[in-house]
Amino acid sequence: MDEPKTRAARRAATAQRILEAAQTEFGEHGLEGATVRSIAQRAGVDPSLVIQHYGSKNDLFAIAIRLPRESTGDDVAGHLFDVLDVRLGELPPETRALVRSMLTAPEATEAMRDFLNERVANLARAGGGDDADLRAALTVSSILGLTIARHFLRLDALAEISGPQIETTVRPWLTAALDEDVRPAR
Amino acid sequence: MDEPKTRAARRAATAQRILEAAQTEFGEHGLEGATVRSIAQRAGVDPSLVIQHYGSKNDLFAIAIRLPRESTGDDVAGHLFDVLDVRLGELPPETRALVRSMLTAPEATEAMRDFLNERVANLARAGGGDDADLRAALTVSSILGLTIARHFLRLDALAEISGPQIETTVRPWLTAALDEDVRPAR
DNA sequence: ACTTTCACTCAACGACTGTAGAGTGAGAGG
DNA sequence: CCTCTCACTCTACAGTCGTTGAGTGAAAGT
């Protein structure tokens, strides 16, 4: 197994365990629903140790919802599909924690808004054309809605089908808004 | 002004004031974030009166998130646009309360899932064809994503434009999935 | 006019929360 | 082998929560 020798290494390892426990609890119950005690119990640790490691529950939350940066060269829509996963059966824990609290915790709302605004800007720049911002925002918000409906609400029509099927079925339709003029003739 | 005479009428009036205060507070801060005390203060009433009227905070919440039934003869997509408003600048208070808590309060999650499942079924029945359920679910989840991105996250590209503009711009694209086969050629 | 009803307020409870500070014991350093 | 360090636990506190039961005073009933 991986039993680290040095004291600092052991401490870092429990810090990581606490962080992962926090992401799970935040992802399941949200910022307010998850308690320091429940996080500590999941990590097999005393509640006060959680505070000693991360300063406060809110500081821990801020770290727990950090999304991975977009790797250069990735296609923008593809990265969004990875983070707001529509491919796999399960969401990354930090995404799950962020989305779960994004409607009730102001820090999470702001983090999600910043993330999506950046994604919209990248997508609009790549697509170009008239109304590029609006069409990019449509694509992004639709992916967000799909993620919520599939992974959090578990709608009947979305929960049962496979991730790849969703991608091959849905992606062309979603990205269609980027290439066409969505405004109808008046 | 409207000062009701009978005792029962006065009581019913304060019950209504409490309910409206609850919808506002739940819509702003969610089920956990809103407190009985904050609801009572907004209604200009003692906290215990809130409980006397509605039994418990959770019972009050269950009533506060009830959505209006679909009026017969309405087009399904139109009703959805009304409830998950993309037309007006502001959401109905019960919708706002429901959406706000739908990711953190199990009762709200269930209520939203039931509501959207029914909407998907109606839409799929009206559209018909292959993959009707999936395409209807795509439309519905996209409208949901749009509502969240616009009214709760306030994305730059969506927050500033007018409701009617959104409808005339977005609706054709959203409902397009209902009439076409979204699956690409293999 | 006297009594009763009842919509409402007041005060308090037990439970639970995030967090601080003292204590402890195993391992690092010499 | 002794001492010190420090990762961790224990105990406790102050605040907030939902909810209860007794009390109050104005209006309804007679």
Side-chain angles (χ1 to χ4, degrees):
Chain A
M1 323 301 176
D2 46 349
E3 281 264 331
K5 290 289 180 323
T6 125
R7 256 212 286 227
R10 276 180 171 274
R11 182 160 174 85
T14 65
Q16 182 63 23
R17 280 210 336 273
I18 292 173
L19 178 58
E20 287 170 5
Q23 287 176 329
T24 303
E25 287 291 316
F26 287 142
E28 210 69 23
H29 306 108
L31 170 57
E32 305 199 81
T35 68
V36 174
R37 284 166 169 82
S38 73
I39 294 169
Q41 181 171 16
R42 179 177 289 270
V45 131
D46 187 86
S48 73
L49 191 62
V50 174
I51 302 297
Q52 290 181 30
H53 269 279
Y54 291 95
S56 75
K57 183 189 179 184
N58 282 289
D59 290 349
L60 173 57
F61 180 72
I63 296 176
I65 63 173
R66 282 200 193 132
L67 298 186
R69 300 303 299 172
E70 189 174 339
S71 50
T72 56
D74 245 9
D75 66 318
V76 194
H79 177 252
L80 196 60
F81 269 61
D82 279 334
V83 172
L84 293 179
D85 192 324
V86 183
R87 279 197 253 255
L88 310 172
E90 216 172 322
L91 285 175
E94 66 275 5
T95 302
R96 209 171 160 77
L98 175 60
V99 174
R100 178 74 73 184
S101 294
M102 94 192 166
L103 297 177
T104 38
E107 319 94 287
T109 305
E110 194 181 5
M112 190 52 119
R113 177 177 46 227
D114 292 348
F115 176 77
L116 293 185
N117 270 335
E118 191 182 330
R119 232 45 52 180
V120 168
N122 287 355
L123 219 48
R125 191 182 319 128
D130 239 19
D131 273 340
D133 279 346
L134 177 55
R135 286 182 280 120
L138 280 180
T139 300
V140 167
S141 70
S142 293
I143 294 177
L144 175 65
L146 195 59
T147 301
I148 292 174
R150 179 163 155 73
H151 292 281
F152 292 84
L153 301 179
R154 313 199 84 86
L155 289 204
D156 290 341
L158 297 175
E160 316 234 338
I161 54 183
S162 71
Q165 183 183 356
I166 286 197
E167 188 188 10
T168 58
T169 305
V170 170
R171 186 165 179 171
W173 179 65
L174 284 179
T175 52
L178 297 174
D179 305 321
E180 312 165 11
D181 192 340
V182 291
R183 290 174 306 180
R186 303 170 46 94
Chain B
M1 311 312 176
D2 47 347
E3 281 263 329
K5 289 285 176 328
T6 126
R7 226 155 27 175
R10 277 180 171 273
R11 182 161 175 85
T14 65
Q16 182 63 24
R17 279 210 338 273
I18 292 174
L19 178 58
E20 287 168 7
Q23 287 176 329
T24 303
E25 287 291 316
F26 286 142
E28 210 69 23
H29 306 108
L31 170 56
E32 306 199 81
T35 69
V36 174
R37 284 168 169 83
S38 73
I39 294 170
Q41 181 170 14
R42 179 177 289 270
V45 133
D46 188 87
S48 73
L49 191 63
V50 174
I51 303 296
Q52 289 181 30
H53 268 278
Y54 291 95
S56 75
K57 182 190 180 184
N58 283 289
D59 290 349
L60 173 56
F61 180 72
I63 296 176
I65 63 172
R66 281 197 192 133
L67 298 185
R69 300 303 298 171
E70 190 173 338
S71 50
T72 56
D74 245 10
D75 67 319
V76 193
H79 177 253
L80 197 60
F81 268 61
D82 279 334
V83 173
L84 292 180
D85 192 322
V86 182
R87 278 196 254 256
L88 310 172
E90 216 173 321
L91 286 175
E94 66 274 4
T95 302
R96 208 171 160 77
L98 175 60
V99 174
R100 178 74 72 184
S101 293
M102 95 193 167
L103 296 177
T104 38
E107 320 93 288
T109 305
E110 195 181 5
M112 190 51 121
R113 176 176 46 225
D114 292 348
F115 175 78
L116 293 185
N117 270 334
E118 192 182 329
R119 233 46 49 181
V120 168
N122 287 355
L123 220 47
R125 191 183 319 128
D130 238 19
D131 273 341
D133 278 346
L134 178 56
R135 287 182 281 120
L138 281 181
T139 300
V140 166
S141 69
S142 293
I143 294 177
L144 175 65
L146 195 58
T147 301
I148 292 173
R150 177 163 155 74
H151 292 281
F152 292 84
L153 302 179
R154 315 198 83 86
L155 290 203
D156 291 338
L158 297 176
E160 315 235 337
I161 52 183
S162 70
Q165 182 183 357
I166 286 197
E167 189 189 7
T168 58
T169 305
V170 170
R171 187 165 178 170
W173 179 65
L174 284 178
T175 52
L178 298 174
D179 306 319
E180 312 165 11
D181 192 340
V182 292
R183 289 174 307 180
R186 303 169 49 95

